Amino acid sequence: MAEMKFTVSSSPHIRSNDTIKGIMRDVIIALLPAAAAGIYFFKIQALFVMIVSVASCVLSEYVWQKLTKQKITIGDYSAAVTGLLLAFNLPPTVPLWIPVVGGIFAIIIVKQFFGGLGQNFMNPALAARAFLLASWPVQMTSWVVDGVSSATPLGILKEGGSALPSLFDVFIGHVGGCIGETSALALIIGGLYLLYKRVISWRIPVTYIGTVFVLMGILGRHGFMSGNPVYEIFAGGLMLGAIFMATDYSTSPITPLGQIIMGIGCGLLTSIIRIYGGYPEGVSYSIIIMNLFVPIIDKYTIPKVFGEVK
């Protein structure tokens, strides 16, 4: 009988060919349709905001890691992804010092202070957006369409005052809003690419959008069964948040059940804020709040080890 030999080594024992650089490159590719839509609808100013935001994030990471004598990791594209997502969450009219400040806050305060990539407990781009919105609310809520000041579709739903854009305009992105959130069509194309490349799973985006669809349809902004759920899921930052922000590897659950809980939780909070809160949107704060529950969700949804004895 042949003698069997085993090699004993420390974990991890399961390896993947995926790399951070490869995943981030796919995310950037997936964001390109929304970037092109933002430039098309909001013109050259949107491009300037994107360039400044990405440059701010990449430079902040380089300078911080240089000063703290850490390995320089800007080549993995993670800082560039943060910068692009931050720009997508800004109005095209913001002064260019806003993405500079936001990039520094996202990279140094939210990411590097907690240990760098994979250690941050909330999405850096969303945390920076929340910081900027609380600090400079006027600059962060000035919207334009075709060079003319205009409220966002969700703002009109919340406050009234003018006619709602058509569902078609909302779907393609010809409405007021942040640079990267207005075109649901472009974001869905990017999301399908990420699903095809298996960078993300369907669980968080589908359960997040599905929960908002059901709750906004049933509860409605003006009473029971008064909502327009189709309009609600295409308007605002829901597609951007559900596909690109809530699925962030560092700040989302690792288990399938946990990801479903994350999606439902984000959808529930977004619906509550939209219907009963003071903000017309609610996506950013919903994801940030659910980010805080990720360790607890993972703790109670990780499968038990086979053969474990308590």
Side-chain angles (χ1 to χ4, degrees):
M1 181 178 179
E3 182 180 358
M4 296 182 65
K5 294 183 178 180
F6 297 94
T7 300
V8 178
S9 64
S10 60
S11 60
H13 302 293
I14 300 176
R15 300 180 185 276
S16 169
N17 292 326
D18 295 332
T19 63
I20 295 173
K21 185 175 182 178
I23 292 171
M24 294 299 166
R25 183 175 57 235
D26 281 334
V27 174
I28 291 174
I29 292 172
L31 289 170
L32 290 179
I39 296 170
Y40 178 79
F41 288 117
F42 301 120
K43 312 307 178 189
I44 197 69
Q45 179 66 15
L47 177 61
F48 289 153
V49 173
M50 284 188 253
I51 292 173
V52 171
S53 182
V54 171
S56 174
C57 287
V58 173
L59 189 60
S60 296
E61 184 148 294
Y62 177 82
V63 171
W64 175 264
Q65 291 176 333
K66 197 73 174 177
L67 291 175
T68 55
K69 302 184 187 306
Q70 299 180 47
K71 178 183 177 183
I72 306 298
T73 60
I74 58 174
D76 64 13
Y77 303 143
S78 62
V81 168
T82 298
L84 200 50
L85 288 174
L86 173 61
F88 278 19
N89 281 276
L90 300 176
T93 56
V94 289
L96 293 180
W97 58 265
I98 287 279
V100 172
V101 174
I104 295 171
F105 185 89
I107 295 298
I108 295 180
I109 304 296
V110 184
K111 183 179 178 183
Q112 295 297 334
F113 271 18
F114 292 92
L117 183 65
Q119 306 298 317
N120 50 292
F121 65 92
M122 65 174 61
N123 187 292
L126 283 182
R129 182 183 190 273
F131 167 72
L132 294 171
L133 184 60
S135 302
W136 297 282
V138 175
Q139 290 87 344
M140 288 292 292
T141 54
S142 299
W143 319 108
V144 295
V145 179
D146 297 331
V148 179
S149 296
S150 172
T152 66
L154 292 180
I156 297 172
L157 280 173
K158 190 77 172 180
E159 306 293 343
S162 57
L164 273 175
S166 68
L167 180 60
F168 179 76
D169 281 344
V170 168
F171 183 67
I172 64 171
H174 190 206
V175 293
C178 293
I179 292 171
E181 73 176 18
T182 58
S183 179
L185 173 61
L187 293 165
I188 290 172
I189 292 173
L192 292 175
Y193 175 78
L194 291 181
L195 288 171
Y196 171 73
K197 298 291 287 186
R198 298 187 177 182
V199 174
I200 64 173
S201 80
W202 60 268
R203 298 182 188 89
I204 292 178
V206 170
T207 53
Y208 189 170
I209 296 168
T211 301
V212 172
F213 181 88
V214 172
L215 291 180
M216 295 305 296
I218 295 175
L219 300 178
R221 290 178 181 266
H222 305 289
F224 184 69
M225 299 300 288
S226 66
N228 185 342
V230 176
Y231 201 94
E232 293 279 357
I233 64 172
F234 290 141
L238 181 59
M239 290 292 170
L240 177 62
I243 296 171
F244 291 97
M245 316 294 275
T247 55
D248 175 26
Y249 284 7
S250 301
T251 56
S252 61
I254 61 174
T255 64
L257 177 58
Q259 291 169 357
I260 291 173
I261 294 172
M262 174 84 176
I264 294 174
C266 287
L268 177 63
L269 290 172
T270 298
S271 301
I272 290 174
I273 293 173
R274 284 188 178 186
I275 297 173
Y276 305 110
Y279 285 103
E281 175 58 271
V283 169
S284 298
Y285 289 108
S286 299
I287 296 174
I288 289 174
I289 291 171
M290 288 305 297
N291 286 161
L292 304 178
F293 287 95
V294 167
I296 298 176
I297 294 173
D298 275 337
K299 178 180 179 181
Y300 289 103
T301 57
I302 288 179
K304 294 181 180 178
V305 177
F306 180 74
E308 179 185 15
V309 178
K310 293 183 179 179

